[in-house]
Amino acid sequence: MSVSRPHIEPGRLFIDGEWREADAKGRRDILDPSTGKVITTVAEADAIDVDAAVTAARKAFDTGPWASTPGRERARVLHRVADLIRQRADEIVAVESVNVGKPVSLCRAVDVATAAEEYEYYSAMAQSVDGSSRRLPFPAHAYTTRDPLGVIGAITPFNFPLVLSSSKIAPALAAGNTVVHKPAEETPLSALLMAEILAEAGVPDGVVNVVTGGGAVVGEALLRHPGVDKIAFTGSTRIGRHAASLAGEALKPVTMELGGNAAQIVFEDADVEKAIGSAIKGFVFNTGQFCMGGPRLLVHSSLYETVLGILAEAVAGVPVGDPFDPATVVGPMAGARHLAKVEEYVRIARAEGGRVVVGGERLELNGGNYYRPTVIADLSNDSRAVQEEIFGPVLTVQPFDTEDEAVALANSTPYGLASGLQTRDLARAHRVAARLQAGIVWVNDWAMLDPAMPFGGVKQSGYGREYGPEALESYTKVKSVIISLA
Ligand code: NAD
């Protein structure tokens, strides 16, 4: 089904179940990355608006019905959210695609489908937020309860606005919390649409509030606000470090989902065709703006030139273009600053001796932020283009000779979000998976994700987990109750 570019009314803040202008009446232009033109404007909030949103969320938590609503009823509401996401899929696809530059076909199949699954998964979980009973060595009846934390400050990045806000809001609501969501400044439109959908599904006023605006103002105000009980942050390692220190100052628990720079290892016994399919998926998906992308390909030296040859041809054939063309696989970068960063890294890679095998330049199209998918060979492991997070459609390829060398190269960056390998040897699959320093390891495919499987980082990729029962637990606190039987 085709989706066309939507007309989007100017956005306002969603606080206590109402649409409001920002206190200072500020507004921000929101751009279409495929043309550079203004799509609409949204309210630019400040600390006063954050305070209003936190006050509403606080009131909804302390005196409202959500936390005390039985889990089964919260489950019904979350299930309705999933149903509404599916019913309104065309509208959501149009909004997310025009704002982020996501190809409509992928946005429907991945972003919208995943968001619905996230609400569905945590709808089921909402019915089992339980404590347990314990036997003690003295006469007592002892049990634990698992209770919601309170007000959650959710801060999300520009690249997966819908998926990464749902991955926080769904478990937070399942556990009975209330939320203030601050989306990324350049891609806030699906968050505003979701505020409407959540209300339509029956989420009470004040339980989810959306405050749009800049990180340094709105994000920091949330981090510092004494009424916020936990921060769920996804974004870059640089900002995450600062956010964690502010939250630490206030002793707020945080989950930190930060940057990544994963390696995909292709062993000599791999299915080469499959490995190349995974490699391409790993670096062009979402135009490379994917924290769990695999921008470093490590190839056994016996396959190195063969893989480069096949990659060059296959990558040159990946359809890049207008996100609203259903055949497009790679859209524009979400913002001009992200495009400029990719250009700079490719310049650095060339200066560091990299051989550009395919791509290596912008694609001039309608004034959009397009960059051709790019493969760079022959860089040394200490080059910046290998070690740093480029966050664009760029793959570096390095050879290796032994399993130990492959593992050492894979683990050699400061990041540890995802990692993966291609092999037909089952023992090697388990052996190497155990040695890779990453929160998630994929074998013989890339980016297999599901709300049931936790993801998150080690090292500079952060701490805490999203998805699975682990995420739900992170939105709860445990209380021990011990009743004397003496
Ligand atoms: P970013 O760190 O620039 O911004 C993330 C969020 O933090 C935005 O909402 C931003 O407005 C806010 N922010 C900015 N300054 C702030 C401040 N001083 N205080 C509080 N909040 C502030 O990240 P980005 O460019 O939007 O996203 C890309 C980054 O996110 C990449 O590094 C990517 O790897 C990472 N990411 C990680 C995951 C994961 O699951 N680990 C998922 C997606 C993206």
Side-chain angles (χ1 to χ4, degrees):
M1 198 188 297
S2 71
V3 173
S4 33
R5 281 190 165 68
H7 168 77
I8 299 174
E9 293 294 329
R12 287 176 288 167
L13 311 178
F14 190 71
I15 297 177
D16 210 4
E18 299 176 349
W19 294 102
R20 298 188 190 170
E21 285 303 335
D23 171 67
K25 308 281 178 272
R27 299 212 68 82
R28 179 188 289 263
D29 287 345
I30 301 300
L31 307 181
D32 176 344
S34 66
T35 60
K37 298 203 171 107
V38 175
I39 310 166
T40 189
T41 64
V42 297
E44 181 74 8
D46 60 18
I48 293 174
D49 300 303
V50 172
D51 184 55
V54 174
T55 303
R58 191 77 264 159
K59 182 175 77 163
F61 183 77
D62 291 339
T63 61
W66 188 250
S68 55
T69 298
R72 189 164 300 176
E73 179 50 28
R74 289 203 298 267
R76 285 193 195 106
V77 173
L78 295 182
H79 214 282
R80 277 200 293 275
V81 178
D83 290 343
L84 285 168
I85 290 174
R86 293 196 175 104
Q87 280 164 29
R88 297 178 65 172
D90 281 352
E91 196 185 342
I92 305 172
V93 166
V95 164
E96 192 81 327
S97 293
V98 79
N99 193 179
V100 190
K102 287 175 187 275
V104 287
S105 319
L106 285 167
C107 186
R108 180 188 301 281
V110 178
D111 300 70
V112 174
T114 303
E117 285 158 10
E118 290 170 341
Y119 279 99
E120 215 161 46
Y121 179 80
Y122 285 107
S123 157
M125 288 248 149
Q127 302 181 58
S128 53
V129 188
D130 291 327
S132 61
S133 68
R134 308 283 162 94
R135 283 185 201 281
L136 300 185
F138 51 85
H141 174 52
Y143 58 92
T144 62
T145 58
R146 197 165 267 290
D147 303 312
L149 285 170
V151 176
I152 309 299
I155 301 179
T156 52
F158 75 88
N159 60 329
F160 280 97
L162 176 66
V163 169
L164 292 173
S165 56
S166 304
S167 68
K168 295 172 178 56
I169 296 172
L173 295 188
N177 299 282
T178 61
V179 178
V180 177
H181 176 208
K182 181 237 164 309
E185 39 273 69
E186 65 264 65
T187 58
L189 298 183
S190 63
L192 298 174
L193 181 53
M194 280 306 295
E196 190 186 306
I197 287 173
L198 288 158
E200 189 183 340
V203 173
D205 292 352
V207 171
V208 176
N209 308 273
V210 181
V211 185
T212 49
V217 175
V218 176
E220 292 222 12
L222 256 186
L223 283 158
R224 291 179 194 277
H225 201 295
V228 174
D229 298 296
K230 169 188 165 146
I231 292 289
F233 179 91
T234 302
S236 62
T237 297
R238 185 177 68 84
I239 302 289
R241 190 173 286 119
H242 175 63
S245 70
L246 287 182
E249 192 72 26
L251 286 179
K252 285 191 211 314
V254 287
T255 41
M256 284 283 150
E257 300 289 344
L258 309 179
N261 188 11
Q264 309 196 47
I265 306 171
V266 182
F267 284 104
E268 64 277 22
D269 62 346
D271 174 336
V272 172
E273 206 178 307
K274 219 171 159 190
I276 287 176
S278 276
I280 295 176
K281 178 159 67 162
F283 91 98
V284 305
F285 176 58
N286 212 41
T287 319
Q289 302 161 120
F290 181 29
C291 55
M292 284 186 276
R296 294 186 296 132
L297 190 67
L298 309 177
V299 183
H300 190 265
S301 50
S302 63
L303 297 172
Y304 186 63
E305 286 302 335
T306 311
V307 164
L308 282 174
I310 305 173
L311 259 179
E313 203 180 319
V315 169
V318 173
V320 184
D322 182 356
F324 281 80
D325 177 343
T328 292
V329 172
V330 177
M333 313 258 341
R337 73 185 169 102
H338 307 302
L339 174 66
K341 185 176 166 207
V342 169
E343 286 189 297
E344 173 63 6
Y345 270 107
V346 174
R347 191 196 60 71
I348 291 170
R350 283 194 166 104
E352 287 172 325
R355 167 171 50 120
V356 175
V357 175
V358 63
E361 58 185 6
R362 295 175 66 142
L363 171 69
E364 298 299 338
L365 182 67
N366 302 329
N369 307 319
Y370 293 95
Y371 200 84
R372 291 187 194 278
T374 297
V375 176
I376 306 175
D378 301 349
L379 285 166
S380 71
N381 194 50
D382 59 2
S383 88
R384 286 185 58 197
V386 169
Q387 288 294 319
E388 297 175 13
E389 184 186 43
I390 300 178
F391 220 56
V394 178
L395 181 74
T396 63
V397 189
Q398 296 170 259
F400 69 86
D401 288 313
T402 65
E403 190 176 297
D404 281 352
E405 193 191 349
V407 170
L409 287 170
N411 290 341
S412 70
T413 80
Y415 297 103
L417 194 53
S419 205
L421 62 143
Q422 299 276 337
T423 181
R424 290 187 171 103
D425 178 340
L426 188 60
R428 170 179 267 163
H430 288 292
R431 194 168 60 233
V432 174
R435 295 177 68 195
L436 291 172
Q437 296 166 349
I440 194 163
V441 174
W442 291 300
V443 179
N444 293 338
D445 202 347
W446 197 258
M448 294 176 284
L449 290 161
D450 187 89
M453 282 301 280
F455 75 85
V458 299
K459 303 197 296 189
Q460 300 291 299
S461 291
Y463 42 83
R465 291 292 177 266
E466 299 217 313
Y467 282 3
E470 288 81 359
L472 186 74
E473 275 196 9
S474 78
Y475 289 99
T476 64
K477 54 182 185 267
V478 174
K479 179 184 281 172
S480 293
V481 180
I482 304 168
I483 299 167
S484 169
L485 298 180

